[in-house]
């Protein structure tokens, strides 16, 4: 498989520019970064596809193209289009509400940024500290459980006359000749 170094460099530059643009505060730059990442992904799948060949039909002889990267590229194009449409709607709504497309810091962001390392250590990690044994769980011991197993006597509309494998009188281990 012979891949052009130019395609690899362009793909890497698109990924780098896309990630850099997505880290900005402006939603328009986030959209541009996402579009760059989508195009870089499509180029990656084009590079992975390898040397083009014949269409992969039954009975075709010679080198055939791999259809999987082509299908993944079409899927990536559709996903990029859908997320771009969502981001455009988000940018438009943000512009309508605040006449700006930048994401500003709120009080929680400022408080988190102001924390020191000592305060972070004091907060600790809450995972695994489950000392309360009386914690309620969903659907345990409750009559309104989400799954109900019905039998033929529970509901008159259920026909529970399916054939069942039961041993017959001749299956008692006797002679079967």
């Amino acid at each position: 498989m012979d891949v052009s170094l130019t395609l690899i460099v362009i793909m890497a530059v698109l990924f780098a520019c896309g990630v850099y643009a997505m880290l900005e505060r402006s939603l328009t730059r986030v959209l541009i970064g996402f579009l760059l990442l989508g195009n870089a992904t499509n180029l990656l799948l084009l590079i992975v596809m390898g040397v083009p060949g014949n269409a992969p039909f039954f009975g075709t002889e010679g080198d055939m193209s791999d259809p999987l990267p082509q299908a993944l590229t079409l899927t990536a194009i559709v996903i990029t289009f859908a997320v771009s449409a969502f981001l455009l709607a988000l940018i438009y709504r943000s512009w309508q509400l605040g006449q700006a497309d930048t994401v500003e810091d709120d009080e929680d962001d400022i408080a988190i940024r102001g924390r020191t390392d000592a305060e972070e250590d004091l907060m600790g990690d809450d995972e695994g500290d489950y000392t309360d044994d009386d914690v309620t769980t969903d659907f345990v011991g409750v009559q309104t459980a989400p799954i109900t197993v019905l039998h033929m006597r529970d509901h008159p509309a259920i026909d529970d006359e399916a054939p069942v494998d039961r041993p017959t009188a001749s299956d008692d281990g006797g002679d079967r000749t």
Side-chain angles (χ1 to χ4, degrees):
M1 181 169 92
D2 185 28
V3 177
S4 173
L5 183 63
T6 307
L7 288 177
I8 295 173
V9 169
I10 290 173
M11 179 201 60
V13 168
L14 284 175
F15 269 121
C17 291
V19 168
Y20 179 76
M22 285 187 75
L23 294 176
E24 295 291 326
R25 290 276 187 175
S26 172
L27 291 176
T28 306
R29 290 187 182 179
V30 170
L31 174 66
I32 291 170
F34 183 76
L35 291 172
L36 288 174
L37 281 177
N39 288 330
T41 303
N42 293 339
L43 195 56
L44 171 69
L45 291 171
L46 180 71
I47 291 170
V48 168
M49 185 170 51
V51 180
N54 295 330
F57 293 120
F58 181 72
T60 305
E61 295 180 14
D63 291 335
M64 290 188 285
S65 293
D66 187 10
L68 183 63
Q70 296 172 15
L72 291 175
T73 302
L74 287 174
T75 304
I77 290 169
V78 170
I79 291 171
T80 302
F81 177 74
V83 174
S84 299
F86 174 73
L87 282 173
L88 278 173
L90 190 67
I91 291 168
Y92 180 70
R93 184 67 177 157
S94 174
W95 182 260
Q96 277 184 334
L97 293 177
Q99 297 297 320
D101 71 338
T102 57
V103 177
E104 299 296 330
D105 287 338
D106 59 354
E107 294 84 21
D108 293 333
D109 292 333
I110 295 169
I112 290 173
R113 192 180 316 129
R115 286 185 192 162
T116 62
D117 290 336
E119 290 173 344
E120 289 288 331
D121 291 338
L122 286 176
M123 291 180 69
D125 190 13
D126 291 338
E127 291 182 22
D129 294 339
Y130 299 113
T131 57
D132 187 15
D133 291 335
D134 296 332
V135 176
T136 60
T137 57
D138 293 340
F139 308 118
V140 175
V142 179
Q143 295 298 325
T144 59
I147 299 173
T148 304
V149 179
L150 296 175
H151 298 287
M152 71 175 187
R153 291 180 195 90
D154 295 336
H155 197 274
I158 296 177
D159 182 22
D160 201 11
E161 296 298 323
V164 180
D165 291 334
R166 291 190 180 126
T168 60
S170 64
D171 290 339
D172 59 0
D175 192 13
R176 296 181 190 217
T177 56

